[in-house]
Amino acid sequence: GALTPDWDVSAGFTKRAMKNGNESYLESTQPEKLLRLSSSHRLPGALSRVMVGGHVTWQSRIYEKGTGPGGIDPVQNSYALLHLFASYQADDNLSFQLNINNVFDKKYLSGILGGYGRYGDPRNVYLRAKYRF
């Protein structure tokens, strides 16, 4: 929600609870817990055309029992990612936005399937220009 007219914050938390009769977690290739925090702030005064912000995503450990090479359990421990952005509204029709994703270039598995993990996106930066006709 809006903490002030120029500052927005949002948060979300998900907890999945799929267990069998032995209290073992069934969907181990999906995170049991997921947390997302976001914030954006429009700068004051002469800089009011600039907005800055970011978000953090954290997830709990994922694994797949005994499916990796040699019968090992492929595992991705819990991790957090930070993403930042800045935007500039040049006029009513033209805006620019710079995004930096995975700021700390965290190496992580975004998923595990059939004993193998797939790496998530490394740090990446992009600039977008948007013009409305």
Side-chain angles (χ1 to χ4, degrees), residues 69-117:
I72 64 166
D73 297 345
V75 174
Q76 170 59 64
N77 289 320
S78 64
Y79 65 91
L81 299 175
L82 174 66
H83 311 287
L84 300 174
F85 79 90
S87 65
Y88 175 69
Q89 188 71 45
D91 60 32
D92 288 343
N93 298 319
L94 180 63
S95 64
F96 300 93
Q97 183 166 328
L98 176 70
N99 288 64
I100 305 172
N101 297 313
N102 191 1
V103 170
F104 298 112
D105 201 22
K106 173 76 176 170
K107 289 187 174 142
Y108 64 100
L109 299 177
S110 63
I112 299 172
L113 182 62
Y116 295 93

